[in-house]
């Protein structure tokens, strides 16, 4: 699908709405879309790809289908086995301390993980460490002030995280999966961009709204507005020597 385009954004949005009932369709489509984005900057065939926090393996499997040597590093064993099997090339490992040598990966990939770590700066530093000089880093996250920032409790998180969780419990009869300050954190566009730009070991290739149908590169450049309109920030970084 052409990126950005209304057709692509609509297809992804429909898939997200059916995530719980049709997870294979949702994450399969998202994996193909992400792999397309990577291949615009770096060939996947023959590349060593570290998928950090890739859950049950949809992204790693797509990278392998395209000829990459894909390896999945996921800290939660329950996530690894969510599809009833352990994905090929999977390792139980924390994103803060990856079992990889410096510069071992041609591409380090992380999709929608940064908002789930308490120390984003250390997480990013570890991704940079394991990427070879000249290699590519793909990093995307859902920012807290976006309409989807509260995840399953969105958009009621705008009224407060605890209020949103209470509403979710009343509506569903069970607790929300994510708790602010425990496994979900308020990550913001502006502060993340400042931290990345201050680094001397990476160059920003692209900073854009991952799912926007138009003006994908312009939205994150608008202070204030970007915190609500970006929805999901995609950073493509190049590791410097």
């Amino acid at each position: 699908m052409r990126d950005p385009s209304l057709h692509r954004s609509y297809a992804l949005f429909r898939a997200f709405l059916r995530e719980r009932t049709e997870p294979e369709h949702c994450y399969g489509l998202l994996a193909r879309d992400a792999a397309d984005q990577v291949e615009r900057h770096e060939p996947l065939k023959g590349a060593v790809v570290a998928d950090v926090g890739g859950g049950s393996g949809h992204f790693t499997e797509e990278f392998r289908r395209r000829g990459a040597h894909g390896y999945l590093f996921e800290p939660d064993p329950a996530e690894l086995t969510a599809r009833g099997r352990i994905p090929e090339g999977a390792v139980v490992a924390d994103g803060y301390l990856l079992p990889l040598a410096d510069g071992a990966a041609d591409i380090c990939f992380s999709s929608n993980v940064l908002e789930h770590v308490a120390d984003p700066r250390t997480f990013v530093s570890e991704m940079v460490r394991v990427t070879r000089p000249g290699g590519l880093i793909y990093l995307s996250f859902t920012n807290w002030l976006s309409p989807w920032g509260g995840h399953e409790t969105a958009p009621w998180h705008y009224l407060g995280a605890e209020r949103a969780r209470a509403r979710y419990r009343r509506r569903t009869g069970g607790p929300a999966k994510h708790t602010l300050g425990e496994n979900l954190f308020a990550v913001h566009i502006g502060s993340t961009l400042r931290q990345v730009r201050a680094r001397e070991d990476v160059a920003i290739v692209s900073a854009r709204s991952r799912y926007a149908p138009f003006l994908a590169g312009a939205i994150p450049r608008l202070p204030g507005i970007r915190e609500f309109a970006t929805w999901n920030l995609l950073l493509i970084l190049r590791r410097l020597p």
Side-chain angles (χ1 to χ4, degrees):
M1 294 181 288
R2 189 168 58 86
D3 176 14
S5 70
L6 281 169
H7 172 68
R8 168 184 172 271
S9 296
Y10 178 67
L12 288 170
F13 183 68
R14 285 191 64 193
F16 291 146
L17 292 179
R18 295 181 289 176
E19 174 193 4
R20 293 191 177 185
T21 58
E22 299 179 29
E24 289 298 318
H25 170 71
C26 175
Y27 289 107
L29 179 61
L30 188 60
R32 293 190 296 275
D33 186 76
D36 288 343
Q37 291 173 328
V38 170
E39 286 195 308
R40 292 189 182 95
H41 303 279
E42 192 79 15
L44 280 168
K45 188 173 183 179
V48 174
V49 182
D51 178 7
V52 185
S56 55
H58 291 88
F59 295 106
T60 299
E61 289 177 359
E62 183 62 28
F63 296 145
R64 285 176 171 249
R65 273 193 289 269
R66 300 192 187 204
H69 304 287
Y71 301 95
L72 169 61
F73 301 92
E74 169 59 48
D76 187 351
E79 289 288 340
L80 278 179
T81 57
R83 298 159 74 190
R85 55 182 172 80
I86 298 176
E88 185 178 358
V91 177
V92 177
D94 195 305
Y96 291 137
L97 190 63
L98 294 169
L100 290 172
D102 294 358
D106 298 301
I107 300 165
C108 196
F109 177 93
S110 177
S111 174
N112 295 337
V113 178
L114 197 68
E115 70 267 31
H116 299 295
V117 300
D119 186 356
R121 191 188 299 268
T122 299
F123 183 86
V124 173
S125 291
E126 186 68 350
M127 290 186 67
V128 174
R129 181 189 69 80
V130 303
T131 305
R132 65 166 172 80
L136 200 74
I137 298 158
Y138 180 111
L139 176 67
S140 82
F141 66 90
T142 303
N143 49 300
W144 175 247
L145 290 178
S146 81
W148 204 249
H151 287 47
E152 71 272 25
T153 66
W156 304 100
H157 66 295
Y158 285 134
L159 302 179
E162 288 304 315
R163 183 176 295 181
R165 281 179 56 82
R167 181 187 181 278
Y168 183 89
R169 180 182 286 276
R170 289 195 303 271
R171 185 170 60 87
T172 66
K177 178 180 179 180
H178 299 100
T179 301
L180 187 66
E182 293 182 10
N183 58 0
L184 181 64
F185 299 88
V187 185
H188 302 288
I189 303 294
S191 57
T192 301
L193 287 174
R194 286 191 293 272
Q195 288 175 15
V196 172
R197 287 170 180 152
R199 300 187 67 102
E200 297 181 350
D201 50 7
V202 295
I204 297 178
V205 176
S206 178
R208 51 171 295 192
S209 173
R210 184 177 181 182
Y211 307 127
F214 47 81
L215 299 176
I219 295 170
R221 294 199 297 266
L222 303 173
I225 295 173
R226 64 190 174 194
E227 301 296 342
F228 300 92
T230 300
W231 284 64
N232 188 287
L233 181 69
L234 169 60
L235 289 171
I236 303 289
L237 311 175
R238 186 71 68 179
R239 174 75 156 92
L240 297 177

